Amino acid sequence: MSEVLDRGYLGMGKDVQVFEKNLSSFFGRNALCVVNGTAALHLSLQALGISRGDEVLVPSLTYISTFQAISACGAKPVACEIYENTLTIDLENAQKQITKKTKAILPVHYAGGVADLDKVYLFAKKNKLRVIEDAAHAFGTKYKNKRVGNIGDIVCFSFDGIKNITSGEGGCIVTSDKKVIDKIKDSRLLGVIKDTEKRYSGLRSWNFDVKEQGWRYHMSNLMAAIGIVQLEKFNKLSKKRQELAKYYDKLLEKISFVKILKQNYDEVVPHIYTIRLLDNSDRDKLREKLNKKGIETGIHYYPNHKLSFYKLKKKEILPLTDKIFNQLLTLPLHPDLRKKDIRYIVSEIKKIKIKKNVQTTSK
Ligand SMILES: *Cc1c(COP(=O)(O)O)cnc(C)c1O
């Protein structure tokens, strides 16, 4: 970063180009950097021509960013159910919600796991849909020995401050679709035609044309400088995350009211570590108590179909999502966490199990 500051050009230039090159060799195909993961999703949808009147299948259990990227195009996010074991999009439910307006499916790789990605692509092929993978949680995850991003239609990542690698703020799009690449190269720079090429040769566009709506979504050299170093540290960072998640699994497996998300942490690089609390455990009370012990937890996520902006009609409920989100608890996970910390967290969870005030209990 200080090199970038010394050179004095803070915007999008040489360093972004280097970060893109490094990412492209990491993924084995073209990567384009943008200002954040939400922008990556928005530009991908726009590049496919998804707009007003179109529908996109998406799991309700995701970050608001996924839904906002779809509605930003004027399209409708169609909230889908999830599979209980993987918390990823339920394809049978998605199938039921297909209409003539459906253009794409946007699976979310929850906690870094990709479930059965082949099935998603079979589903898309059968229904003639494009696929945009929200891989914000899955940087570095492998599926059948290939990196997420190395395969698939359009794959979007986030380099937000808490993700598997960060550039402070940032994101990228990985695809083999040349048309999508060319479109995004312009649309991330306010639609200015060939502005990416100009900036990478140290020039600016003064006489230019714009043919489509664009956005100021490019990445800056300052952010890229962080990303370049983070990518070099990826092996170390990812091993740490995997090791810690395995340790959580080992300790939590013995607790009867805790259900762990079964993942193969030799392949999955977990962005978050989420458990389900069964037996009518009072998740919110437990969170409060853990917080008092200095253990900060999260909820991933409050379902999007329950938000005012995206609310479904009464009859279109998603029963499993509604049930599961009240049981979800995300435990601390980051590369500076120690095994000792995990032992402390698990022992506190064991101690303060709280049942909800209900007559009947079900397992
Ligand atoms: C982080 C995240 C995003 C968006 O990334 P930003 O860089 O924060 O814009 C999208 N989807 C999911 C599931 C995420 O966790």
Side-chain angles (χ1 to χ4, degrees), residues 285-296 344:
K285 276 235 176 75
L286 180 67
R287 281 195 74 208
E288 229 178 270
K289 297 233 166 179
L290 288 174
N291 205 23
K292 285 199 183 119
K293 297 279 179 182
I295 302 165
E296 199 181 348
Y344 172 65

Side-chain angles (χ1 to χ4, degrees), residues 203-220:
L203 303 168
R204 300 295 303 268
S205 303
W206 298 113
N207 290 309
F208 57 81
D209 196 13
V210 169
K211 289 185 182 157
E212 274 186 303
Q213 176 68 54
W215 311 89
R216 199 167 161 76
Y217 277 175
H218 60 276
M219 181 181 271
S220 77

Side-chain angles (χ1 to χ4, degrees), residues 36-38 41 62-63 65-66 108 134 136-137 158 160 163 170 301:
N36 56 47
T38 312
L41 293 167
T62 182
Y63 188 39
S65 146
T66 325
V108 177
D134 181 341
H137 292 191
S158 161
D160 167 83
K163 295 284 163 49
Y301 292 93

Side-chain angles (χ1 to χ4, degrees), residues 82-278:
I82 41 167
Y83 289 132
E84 184 154 9
N85 286 337
T86 56
L87 308 184
T88 56
I89 190 163
D90 175 335
L91 297 172
E92 286 75 33
N93 176 264
Q95 184 73 52
K96 283 188 210 145
Q97 303 205 62
I98 286 193
T99 70
K100 280 200 184 104
K101 298 174 186 167
T102 314
K103 292 284 153 63
I105 179 168
L106 210 167
V108 177
H109 300 330
Y110 189 94
V114 296
D116 195 340
L117 204 52
D118 286 344
K119 277 209 179 120
V120 171
Y121 279 93
L122 268 175
F123 173 91
K125 199 173 170 196
K126 194 179 105 198
N127 295 290
K128 298 195 170 59
L129 302 176
R130 293 297 297 258
V131 183
I132 297 164
E133 296 175 38
D134 181 341
H137 292 191
F139 188 91
T141 286
K142 284 187 176 166
Y143 176 72
K144 296 191 173 168
N145 256 333
K146 289 195 168 126
R147 280 220 163 92
V148 171
N150 177 249
I151 43 167
D153 192 358
I154 304 177
V155 190
C156 296
F157 295 91
S158 161
F159 306 135
D160 167 83
I162 57 165
K163 295 284 163 49
N164 287 358
I165 67 161
T166 184
S167 57
E169 289 281 358
C172 78
I173 299 128
V174 187
T175 182
S176 304
D177 187 331
K178 183 84 177 39
K179 248 170 83 182
V180 166
I181 288 167
D182 287 343
K183 281 200 174 209
I184 293 176
K185 271 186 178 171
D186 293 345
S187 60
R188 67 178 167 180
L189 286 157
L190 293 163
V192 173
I193 287 174
K194 299 270 179 221
D195 202 23
T196 290
E197 287 74 5
K198 281 261 171 63
R199 282 168 185 255
Y200 287 168
S201 36
L203 303 168
R204 300 295 303 268
S205 303
W206 298 113
N207 290 309
F208 57 81
D209 196 13
V210 169
K211 289 185 182 157
E212 274 186 303
Q213 176 68 54
W215 311 89
R216 199 167 161 76
Y217 277 175
H218 60 276
M219 181 181 271
S220 77
N221 277 350
L222 270 178
M223 302 290 98
I226 302 174
I228 291 166
V229 177
Q230 280 273 301
L231 187 57
E232 284 166 9
K233 293 183 183 169
F234 169 74
N235 267 338
K236 208 173 121 207
L237 296 174
S238 61
K239 281 211 182 84
K240 197 76 204 281
R241 281 181 180 274
Q242 289 171 318
E243 203 181 287
L244 293 171
K246 282 182 193 171
Y247 195 56
Y248 262 130
D249 275 4
K250 196 178 135 202
L251 299 188
L252 287 166
E253 252 164 4
K254 296 172 200 145
I255 305 181
S256 64
F257 64 95
V258 169
K259 189 171 162 62
I260 60 171
L261 194 62
K262 278 246 155 59
Q263 309 256 41
N264 175 3
Y265 290 116
D266 293 323
E267 292 193 318
V268 171
V269 182
H271 156 53
I272 50 175
Y273 187 88
T274 301
I275 57 172
R276 275 174 68 194
L277 299 166
L278 308 178

